[in-house]
Amino acid sequence: MKALVLTSLSGVDALAVQNSPEPVAKAGQTIVRVLAGGMNFADIMTTKGGYPGTPQPPLIVGREFAGIEESTGRRVMGYAQWAAFAEKTSAHSNMLWPIPDGWSDEQAAAFPVNYFTAYLGYWQAGMTLPAATGKNHRVLIHAVAGGVGTAAVQIGQLLGVDMYGTSSSEEKLSRVKPLGLQHPINYKQHDYEEVVKNLTHGEGVDAVFEMLGGEHTAKSTRCLRDFGRVIQYGTATGKPPQLDLRAMYAKSASVQGLWLTYLSQKPEIMEPAWRQLSAWISEGKLTPQIGGVFPLDRAVEAYKLLQDGKNYGKVVLKIA
Ligand SMILES: NC(=O)c1ccc[n+]([C@@H]2O[C@H](COP(=O)([O-])OP(=O)(O)OC[C@H]3O[C@@H](n4cnc5c(N)ncnc54)[C@H](OP(=O)(O)O)[C@@H]3O)[C@@H](O)[C@H]2O)c1
């Protein structure tokens, strides 16, 4: 079968489409004929050896896919840690969900990582329940026009959250606004810490979805109101998160981690999340945002788009 193989840990140019042996399903797994793959920032990190738990190359890459389960003929979308960008993958049965009626393979491949991560971000921030104060929760979403970011805006709108979102580009922000983003912030033009402070009359937000790392963890903490939480779920800058302990003490604020790889192993967390997400899907309320579709043999181009931060929403690979 054709597969996208990482040949060394030297970055995206080390990817090549190669012929590989077909996978064999182990206990708890099932074979899926893959039609589309969803690209994640983690795929970029993987090419440089920066993603925890990844085996050494040569390695078939890809963490998310849509296709047809061979044993049942069922259309499924799935989540994996690697080996998804190939004509066939062996998938864990508990990491497969039925493709919603009317969704294309590309839309389905753009769903699992973004929507579960965004939903669990709200859950960890205590925002899947109504605010005790009766007022709307407030969240600051970094990379709001990206894969997880656009999912967070759609979910935030359904939860009635007041959303502040950052992006480098006016053009990207103009595409997110119609999804329900109330307060777009172009961080190339404005300091988001200042904007949040001004727009919230000095109060701050209840949570920040933070995936940049470096100084942004500390800056994001300073955007919080009392008892606020920075949900740290990535380090796209490549720098270790800096803490501002003073800001944490001053507001009883916290920084807490979120890692889907880990949470996905907990059915007691994933099943209620899917119940809510699938209910919204059946009401037509969630629409994965796809910024680009590339054939498998142009995968390196797709990786570079994401690496350079040029993508809007999800980048999808057409596998078959
Ligand atoms: N913990 C988890 O379980 C989990 C799950 C999914 C994703 N993540 C993390 O969430 C983040 C978003 O993932 P995604 O797949 O949805 O990607 P994405 O947001 O679609 O793409 C990355 C975006 O980040 C922004 N960005 C800011 N600084 C960047 C930099 N130094 N290099 C590249 N991009 C930069 C860019 O948007 P602007 O130009 O608009 O700033 C870019 O478009 C990543 O850090 C990823 O690792 C974590």
Side-chain angles (χ1 to χ4, degrees):
M1 66 169 186
K2 269 202 308 187
L4 187 65
V5 176
L6 180 68
T7 56
S8 72
L9 297 178
S10 56
V12 301
D13 287 312
L15 291 162
V17 178
Q18 295 184 350
N19 280 320
S20 289
E22 291 197 0
V24 178
K26 298 192 186 119
Q29 292 185 331
T30 178
I31 299 295
V32 175
R33 191 150 51 79
V34 180
L35 300 173
M39 294 212 32
N40 289 286
F41 202 78
D43 295 320
I44 309 292
M45 296 164 76
T46 300
T47 65
K48 298 170 194 155
Y51 206 83
T54 312
Q56 289 299 307
L59 171 78
I60 302 177
V61 291
R63 322 172 63 79
E64 185 174 35
F65 56 91
I68 295 169
E69 186 178 30
E70 280 206 329
S71 59
T72 60
R74 188 168 75 113
R75 293 181 75 217
V76 288
M77 50 194 186
Y79 174 52
Q81 295 302 313
W82 53 83
F85 298 161
E87 286 176 313
K88 286 187 184 181
T89 193
S90 53
H92 288 279
S93 302
N94 63 342
M95 290 290 106
L96 289 180
W97 300 273
I99 296 183
D101 291 342
W103 276 23
S104 66
D105 299 321
E106 288 76 18
Q107 281 177 303
F111 178 81
V113 174
N114 292 347
Y115 284 85
F116 276 108
T117 304
Y119 182 82
L120 294 174
Y122 285 109
W123 175 70
Q124 286 198 189
M127 293 187 186
T128 50
L129 301 170
T133 57
K135 291 191 191 144
N136 286 352
H137 292 296
R138 291 183 191 138
V139 69
L140 169 62
I141 304 167
H142 289 301
V144 74
V148 177
T150 51
V153 172
Q154 290 181 8
I155 294 172
Q157 196 195 31
L158 293 167
L159 294 172
V161 176
D162 198 23
M163 295 175 282
Y164 302 74
T166 70
S167 170
S168 62
S169 125
E170 237 20 75
E171 193 263 334
K172 287 197 213 176
L173 286 170
S174 69
R175 297 177 75 175
V176 195
K177 266 194 327 204
L179 304 180
L181 175 68
Q182 300 95 334
H183 309 287
I185 305 170
N186 182 331
Y187 65 81
K188 294 272 185 199
Q189 293 172 3
H190 305 282
D191 177 346
Y192 62 82
E193 194 181 329
E194 284 300 310
V195 177
V196 167
K197 196 183 205 175
N198 293 337
L199 290 178
T200 62
H201 314 290
E203 283 177 8
V205 294
D206 299 284
V208 184
F209 293 170
E210 206 316 75
M211 38 51 73
L212 295 163
E215 60 170 335
H216 296 287
T217 306
K219 253 177 109 54
S220 296
T221 307
R222 295 193 290 271
C223 293
L224 293 173
R225 57 157 55 144
D226 287 356
F227 302 104
R229 293 173 229 195
V230 169
I231 307 293
Q232 189 76 45
Y233 71 103
T235 47
T237 60
K239 298 187 181 134
Q242 289 171 17
L243 294 182
D244 183 337
L245 274 175
R246 198 173 166 151
M248 291 169 75
Y249 286 135
K251 295 180 183 170
S252 286
S254 56
V255 176
Q256 65 173 250
L258 184 169
W259 195 25
L260 186 63
T261 300
Y262 178 67
L263 295 178
S264 65
Q265 299 310 306
K266 298 185 176 295
E268 69 278 19
I269 290 175
M270 295 299 280
E271 283 167 14
W274 172 244
R275 268 200 299 281
Q276 177 60 85
L277 289 169
S278 57
W280 281 330
I281 290 171
S282 62
E283 292 163 14
K285 290 179 174 162
L286 297 179
T287 313
Q289 298 296 294
I290 297 172
V293 180
F294 290 78
L296 188 60
D297 56 14
R298 283 175 53 205
V300 172
E301 237 177 283
Y303 269 68
K304 285 184 175 165
L305 193 74
L306 198 59
Q307 177 170 271
D308 297 342
K310 296 267 163 55
N311 62 302
Y312 166 74
K314 194 79 163 179
V315 180
V316 174
L317 292 179
K318 237 182 147 42
I319 310 279

